[in-house]
């Protein structure tokens, strides 16, 4: 379908409050899946895709963090679609991190502005999403891409994630096409007023 | 015990989802075949075949693909019309008072309500006035009104004259770059715009810098700033851009999009699209509040 950037929400910082055994099992699963992605037969190789892990990676276990960094290093020069996996991520933590990073590079008599914060976000380099899909019919964003979704079409189809298939994606694109003009107009006017 | 219950709930949900997934396999096959032959991007359509055959194919297939594209959108429109009819019938039943469950709404969990309005529609002051009246009738105590261009902020003074009685009015002179807060119809109403979002966080960052110690060059050389989320919240408060997180956010406009509502205040907010302000209904608000009262949030736990 020509979609270049896909961002998924794999693990929230809030999820660290789960039972420690459950968290450890998930960390092991994440590591296993990352290692699987780097095999010759994986989808990343097939589509020359690039993978990024966005979030406060210092909160991950050493093994998972090293696997994630290895995956990012191995695919950094790939030219295909970009898959961003948000792990140990919340939007408010991302904003806090962006403020810290902006303060580190601040110079005298130069005010920090929104562009500085944008540049220091975990998701810097990714375009703002056109659509955010929250499956299972839930209507909240749960601290996901709050900063980046000013002009994003928010969709909440009823199927749960394992049921979500190509036909649901086609429907999502069709729904987006109906409001595309309006959202682009709003974005253009806001940028003109800045 | 509580964690066991949550884990069992998640496992049951996952099992149900997997069973349903297996039933949709046939639909997936059909959709896959269909999408292999065309996809559409921003109103233009392309064919998923090799570039060498694209010119030949486009002469023959373009009109057919065009018809297919518009047919698909016609089907989506029909689905929307059907959903709209069902929705109108539901609103009619609610406003008739036949269902007692909609009569006594429990709004304990709804402490703060946000309303995002498209700026063009926000110019319709009588509609905004009517909306506030309805929200007050339902029992809402705190409303955050947002429109991206600050139309409501700019018209705030005239708006207060049209909505408040002498005993109700208590307002502050307002600067367009900070929230405007006043009391009306027994509710506290906070009016914000795009400048209260990302630009407010930038102001908070500059405030934190001024609080942090600096060297003669005005940098943080050798010092590692380390802030927590409460620090950012305090900084936002110090620069006049704090405020409660709304539990529910209603979007009045053509699309379900928050249009730059302050990101810091929207972590677990339920976002509901209400359609255009010009066609708003009291019964629709009652339905949304009822559905909200039945929601359950784990907050990531």
């Amino acid at each position: 379908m020509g979609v270049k950037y896909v961002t998924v929400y794999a693990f929230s910082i809030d999820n660290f409050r789960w039972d420690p055994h459950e968290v450890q099992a998930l960390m092991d699963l994440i590591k296993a899946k990352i290692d699987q992605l780097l095999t010759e037969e994986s989808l990343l190789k097939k589509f020359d895709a690039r993978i990024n892990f966005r979030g406060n990676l210092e909160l991950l276990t050493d093994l998972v963090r090293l696997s994630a960094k290895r995956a990012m290093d191995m695919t950094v020069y790939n030219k295909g679609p970009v898959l961003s996996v948000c792990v140990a991520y919340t939007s408010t933590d991302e904003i806090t991190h962006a403020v810290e990073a902006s303060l580190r590079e601040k110079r005298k008599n130069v005010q920090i502005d929104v562009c500085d914060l944008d540049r220091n976000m975990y998701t810097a380099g990714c375009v703002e999403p056109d659509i955010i899909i929250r499956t299972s019919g839930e209507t909240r964003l749960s601290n996901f891409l709050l900063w980046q979704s000013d002009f994003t079409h928010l969709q909440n189809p009823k199927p749960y994630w394992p049921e979500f298939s190509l036909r649901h994606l086609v429907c999502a694109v069709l729904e987006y096409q109906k409001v595309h003009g309006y959202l682009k107009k709003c974005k253009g006017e806001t940028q003109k007023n800045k | 015990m509580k964690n066991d219950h949550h884990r069992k709930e998640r496992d049951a949900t996952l099992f149900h989802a997997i069973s349903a997934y297996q039933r949709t396999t046939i639909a997936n096959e059909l959709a896959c075949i269909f999408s292999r032959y065309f996809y559409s991007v921003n109103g233009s359509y392309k064919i998923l075949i090799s570039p060498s055959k694209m010119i030949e194919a486009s002469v023959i297939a373009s009109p057919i693909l065009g018809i297919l594209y518009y047919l698909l959108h016609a089907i989506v429109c029909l689905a929307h019309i059907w959903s709209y009819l069902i929705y109108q019938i539901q609103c009619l039943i609610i406003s008739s008072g036949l269902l007692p469950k909609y009569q006594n709404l429990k709004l304990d969990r709804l402490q703060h309500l946000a309303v995002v309005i498209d700026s063009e529609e926000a110019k319709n002051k009588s509609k905004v006035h009517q909306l506030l009246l309805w929200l007050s009738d339902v029992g809402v105590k705190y409303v955050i009104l947002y429109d991206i261009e600050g139309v409501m902020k700019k018209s705030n003074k005239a708006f207060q004259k049209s909505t408040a009685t002498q005993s109700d009015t208590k307002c502050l002179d307002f600067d367009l770059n900070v929230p405007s807060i006043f009391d009306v119809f027994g509710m506290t109403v906070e009016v914000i715009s795009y400048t209260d979002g990302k630009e407010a966080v930038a102001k908070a960052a500059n405030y934190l810098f001024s609080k942090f110690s600096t060297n003669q060059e005005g940098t943080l050389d050798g010092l590692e700033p380390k802030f927590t989320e409460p620090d950012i919240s305090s900084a936002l408060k110090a620069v006049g851009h704090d405020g409660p997180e709304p539990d529910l956010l209603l979007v009045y406009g053509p699309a379900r999009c928050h249009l730059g509502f302050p990101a810091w205040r929207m972590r677990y907010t339920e976002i509901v699209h209400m359609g255009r302000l010009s066609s708003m209904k009291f019964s629709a608000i009652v339905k949304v509040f009822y559905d909200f009262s039945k929601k359950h949030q784990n907050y990531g736990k």
Side-chain angles (χ1 to χ4, degrees):
Chain A
M1 296 179 79
V3 177
K4 172 82 175 171
Y5 296 93
V6 176
T7 305
V8 296
Y9 198 6
F11 193 84
S12 165
I13 292 176
D14 295 329
N15 296 149
F16 280 110
R17 288 185 274 172
W18 288 356
D19 180 85
H21 295 297
E22 208 166 347
V23 173
Q24 186 56 49
L26 279 167
M27 289 293 123
D28 294 340
L29 182 63
I30 290 172
K31 184 186 178 311
K33 289 298 172 189
I34 294 172
D35 293 340
Q36 193 180 19
L37 279 174
L38 297 177
T39 60
E40 282 303 316
E41 300 81 28
S42 76
L43 287 172
L44 284 186
K45 296 280 183 189
K46 186 177 171 186
F47 294 103
D48 195 32
R50 183 177 169 184
I51 190 166
N52 289 314
F53 290 90
R54 314 281 192 186
N56 193 342
L57 302 185
E58 299 303 316
L59 297 177
L60 298 173
T61 57
D62 291 342
L63 284 175
V64 177
R65 187 170 56 254
L66 287 171
S67 272
K69 286 195 172 151
R70 192 164 69 96
M72 288 192 281
D73 291 340
M74 285 179 68
T75 60
V76 69
Y77 297 114
N78 289 1
K79 300 289 178 219
V82 180
L83 173 65
S84 297
V85 182
C86 289
V87 61
Y89 172 94
T90 58
S91 228
T92 41
D93 178 74
E94 181 182 29
I95 294 169
T96 306
H97 167 265
V99 167
E100 283 177 359
S102 300
L103 289 184
R104 270 196 290 275
E105 57 184 40
K106 186 180 177 334
R107 291 291 170 261
K108 188 180 180 183
N109 298 328
V110 176
Q111 295 286 303
I112 292 171
D113 61 18
V114 174
C115 294
D116 297 319
L117 296 173
D118 284 339
R119 199 176 55 252
N120 288 303
M121 289 282 160
Y122 292 139
T123 51
C126 275
V127 295
E128 291 177 352
D130 297 302
I131 308 171
I132 289 182
I133 297 174
R134 170 80 195 248
T135 54
S136 71
E138 294 294 344
T139 54
R140 56 191 177 271
L141 289 173
S142 296
N143 223 337
F144 179 58
L145 298 184
L146 301 178
W147 183 271
Q148 295 82 352
S149 55
D150 285 355
F151 304 103
T152 301
H153 191 217
L154 308 177
Q155 299 186 16
N156 58 321
K158 287 201 172 48
Y160 288 85
W161 173 241
E163 300 177 84
F164 193 83
S165 60
L166 181 60
R167 66 186 177 94
H168 299 109
L169 182 61
V170 169
C171 286
V173 170
L174 289 170
E175 291 289 340
Y176 170 71
Q177 286 174 341
K178 288 164 66 69
V179 299
H180 163 76
Y182 167 73
L183 292 174
K184 288 301 174 205
K185 186 182 90 141
C186 287
K187 186 174 183 177
E189 280 173 6
T190 306
Q191 283 172 347
K192 200 167 59 173
N193 291 338
K194 272 188 183 172
Chain B
M1 179 76 113
K2 201 175 175 185
N3 283 340
D4 280 347
H5 173 71
H6 283 154
R7 194 170 47 244
K8 281 177 187 167
E9 225 175 41
R10 277 198 300 270
D11 290 347
T13 304
L14 190 59
F15 177 76
H16 163 81
I18 291 171
S19 302
Y21 168 71
Q22 288 166 342
R23 290 196 294 273
T24 63
T25 306
I26 294 171
N28 292 345
E29 294 280 347
L30 289 171
C32 204
I33 292 165
F34 186 70
S35 68
R36 205 173 289 153
Y37 291 98
F38 98 101
Y39 70 93
S40 172
V41 176
N42 297 344
S44 66
Y45 42 87
K46 296 182 185 175
I47 310 166
L48 288 176
I49 55 174
S50 64
S52 60
K53 292 191 181 174
M54 202 172 282
I55 296 171
E56 181 186 317
S58 66
V59 171
I60 301 165
S62 286
I64 299 172
L65 289 175
I67 292 167
L68 278 173
Y69 173 77
Y70 286 110
L71 187 64
L72 208 58
H73 269 279
I75 294 170
V76 170
C77 279
L78 283 172
H80 274 280
I81 289 169
W82 176 250
S83 301
Y84 177 75
L85 284 171
I86 303 282
Y87 182 71
Q88 291 298 318
I89 292 169
Q90 282 178 325
C91 288
L92 206 60
I93 293 171
I94 291 169
S95 40
S96 68
L98 289 172
L99 296 173
K101 66 179 182 179
Y102 291 108
Q103 302 306 312
N104 301 308
L105 291 176
K106 289 183 183 154
L107 295 184
D108 318 326
R109 286 182 49 221
L110 184 62
Q111 298 295 310
H112 308 100
L113 174 75
V115 183
V116 170
I117 305 177
D118 172 64
S119 290
E120 277 307 306
E121 300 206 86
K123 291 173 184 169
N124 190 338
K125 293 174 195 167
S126 61
K127 281 287 185 185
V128 178
H129 176 180
Q130 180 66 64
L131 178 64
L132 286 178
L133 199 51
W134 284 348
L135 293 175
S136 172
D137 286 345
V138 172
V140 176
K141 294 298 174 199
Y142 195 106
V143 178
I144 305 158
L145 287 180
Y146 173 90
D147 78 276
I148 193 167
E149 290 174 19
V151 165
M152 289 188 284
K153 256 193 203 177
K154 288 171 194 165
S155 65
N156 188 34
K157 283 194 174 167
F159 177 78
Q160 278 175 273
K161 278 181 194 170
S162 69
T163 57
T165 62
Q166 270 191 329
S167 57
D168 265 348
T169 305
K170 180 182 79 176
C171 82
L172 306 168
D173 285 331
F174 66 99
D175 168 8
L176 283 177
N177 292 316
V178 293
S180 172
I181 301 176
F182 58 94
D183 287 350
V184 72
F185 302 140
M187 301 185 297
T188 303
V189 179
E190 180 187 349
V191 187
I192 57 175
S193 66
Y194 194 72
T195 54
D196 298 296
K198 292 182 177 179
E199 290 178 25
V201 176
K203 273 194 221 173
N206 288 307
Y207 171 82
L208 285 169
F209 182 81
S210 66
K211 298 273 288 178
F212 221 73
S213 55
T214 61
N215 60 22
Q216 286 182 343
E217 281 81 42
T219 66
L220 296 178
D221 239 24
L223 293 171
E224 280 293 314
K226 198 71 188 157
F227 300 113
T228 60
E229 290 179 28
D231 293 329
I232 306 294
S233 296
S234 301
L236 283 166
K237 187 175 181 178
V239 298
H241 287 281
D242 71 327
E245 289 186 35
D247 306 291
L248 178 62
L249 188 150
L250 307 181
V251 178
Y252 282 98
R256 183 166 177 259
C257 174
H258 62 73
L259 297 177
F261 189 89
W264 196 258
R265 297 169 68 174
M266 223 180 8
R267 293 180 303 158
Y268 302 107
T269 304
E270 305 285 346
I271 303 171
V272 179
H273 184 218
M274 302 296 288
R276 291 186 182 265
L277 190 71
S278 50
S279 53
M280 65 178 188
K281 285 184 166 49
F282 178 70
S283 49
I285 294 172
V286 169
K287 183 177 187 312
V288 165
F289 284 7
Y290 174 79
D291 292 341
F292 174 77
S293 68
K294 298 297 172 197
K295 282 268 181 190
H296 170 70
Q297 282 207 30
N298 289 333
Y299 297 99
K301 292 180 213 153

